[in-house]
């Protein structure tokens, strides 16, 4: 039986309000996609410090950064923009610590939506803060009335995304008002919307599986091909850890014991 890798997922966070406690939460599509692709999801709420981040990453084999609110551009030396609504600082601080350690370890990582933007800025790239202003000719990438708003995609054939989607028209679910501007060193663009907006990046480093999609392959409207992206990710995590010694409780351990 193929060993299922443990894959961490961050969570979104909402501070306490007048009548509700604070919540850490995650849309089920993210962790269900990991399960469907043969992994075991491990939900990771915002962490308080680097030691906790290190211990968490000792316990998982890959990491998925989910979508959510906006990264605060002031954390990257830019001015705040009126259209930017930063996510709760508890989440962003934890996400940035996690991403820094994941990069250090070259742990397989997949970022979706703001998760891709996090990979890009943490690795030295930057963002357009508001597509409507920065790229006025762009097609709509967000529809407040339609959570499954979709647009077409052009992919680089010699890439993971290209292998997954192949030829033919591709439509993906899009929910963003920010986008990658300068791509981080060591990464390349592997998919764009026909209007030029960057929709996927991947690492060019041979020792690091790092992938980002601005679109949402976990959405309710996901296609069978979208799910293949998760299978590629889980396979990459498994392959990287296939020589890891079996831990008590693993199938391999039981077989030997
Ligand atoms: N700040 C980003 C957010 C992109 C993103 O993650 N969208 C998903 C929304 C919530 C979700 O479905 O998880 C941007 O707007 O560019």
């Amino acid at each position: 039986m193929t060993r299922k890798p443990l894959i961490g997922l961050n969570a979104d966070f909402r501070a306490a309000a007048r009548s509700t406690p604070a919540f850490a939460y995650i849309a089920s599509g993210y962790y269900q996609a990991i399960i469907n692709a043969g992994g075991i999801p491990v939900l990771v709420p915002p962490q308080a410090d680097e030691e906790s981040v290190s211990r968490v990453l000792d316990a998982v084999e890959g990491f998925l950064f989910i979508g959510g609110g906006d990264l605060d551009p002031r954390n990257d030396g830019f001015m705040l923009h009126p259209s930017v609504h930063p996510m709760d600082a508890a989440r962003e601080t934890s996400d940035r610590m996690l991403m820094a350690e994941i990069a250090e370890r070259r742990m397989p990582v997949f970022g979706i939506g703001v998760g891709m933007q996090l990979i890009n800025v943490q690795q030295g790239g930057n963002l357009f803060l508001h597509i409507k202003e920065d790229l006025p000719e762009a097609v709509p990438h967000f529809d407040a009335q339609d959570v499954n708003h979709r647009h077409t995609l052009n992919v680089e054939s010699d890439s993971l995304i290209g292998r997954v989607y192949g030829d033919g028209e591709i439509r993906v679910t899009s929910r963003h008002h920010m986008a990658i501007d300068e791509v981080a060193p060591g990464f390349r663009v592997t998919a764009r919307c026909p209007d030029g907006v960057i929709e996927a990046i991947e690492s060019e480093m041979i020792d690091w599986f790092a992938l980002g999609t601005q679109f949402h392959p976990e959405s309710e409207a996901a296609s069978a091909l979208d799910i293949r992206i998760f299978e590629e990710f889980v396979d990459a995590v498994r392959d990287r850890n296939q020589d890891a010694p079996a831990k008590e409780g693993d199938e391999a351990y039981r077989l030997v014991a």
Side-chain angles (χ1 to χ4, degrees), residues 49-176:
D49 52 54
E50 289 179 352
E51 181 190 355
S52 302
V53 162
S54 182
R55 296 281 303 279
V56 163
L57 294 179
D58 287 345
V60 299
E61 301 163 79
F63 208 89
L64 172 66
F65 284 104
I66 69 170
D70 296 343
L71 293 172
D72 189 332
R74 291 170 293 188
N75 292 326
D76 300 304
F78 295 92
M79 298 281 286
L80 193 56
H81 184 283
S83 72
V84 170
H85 303 290
M87 66 177 67
D88 190 285
R91 173 182 169 178
E92 181 165 344
T93 302
S94 177
D95 286 359
R96 286 179 182 261
M97 288 193 290
L98 282 161
M99 187 56 221
E101 182 66 17
I102 284 164
E104 189 66 28
R105 297 179 182 213
R106 290 291 189 263
M107 178 181 281
V109 63
F110 178 16
I112 297 174
V114 71
M116 175 176 89
Q117 296 172 358
L118 170 73
I119 294 173
N120 192 59
V121 300
Q122 196 280 328
Q123 286 293 296
N126 59 34
L127 304 176
F128 289 123
L129 299 187
H130 197 42
I131 292 171
K132 282 188 174 177
E133 285 182 16
D134 297 312
L135 301 167
E137 302 303 311
V139 302
H141 286 260
F142 180 89
D143 180 346
Q145 309 307 317
D146 179 7
V147 72
N148 287 318
H149 170 72
R150 295 166 78 79
H151 61 61
T152 56
L153 199 65
N154 296 326
V155 304
E156 291 295 325
S157 53
D158 67 334
S159 69
L160 182 150
I161 294 291
R163 284 197 308 275
V164 165
Y165 286 107
D167 299 327
E169 180 178 271
I170 307 159
R171 299 187 72 81
V172 291
T173 301
S174 173
R175 288 201 292 279
H176 63 112

Side-chain angles (χ1 to χ4, degrees), residues 153 155-168 170 172 202 209 211 213 215 217 223-233:
L153 199 65
V155 304
E156 291 295 325
S157 53
D158 67 334
S159 69
L160 182 150
I161 294 291
R163 284 197 308 275
V164 165
Y165 286 107
D167 299 327
I170 307 159
V172 291
E202 61 187 61
F209 179 104
L211 171 71
T213 64
F215 61 91
S223 69
L225 293 178
D226 292 334
I227 291 162
R228 286 270 307 109
I229 298 176
F230 288 96
E231 292 169 349
E232 291 269 351
F233 171 53

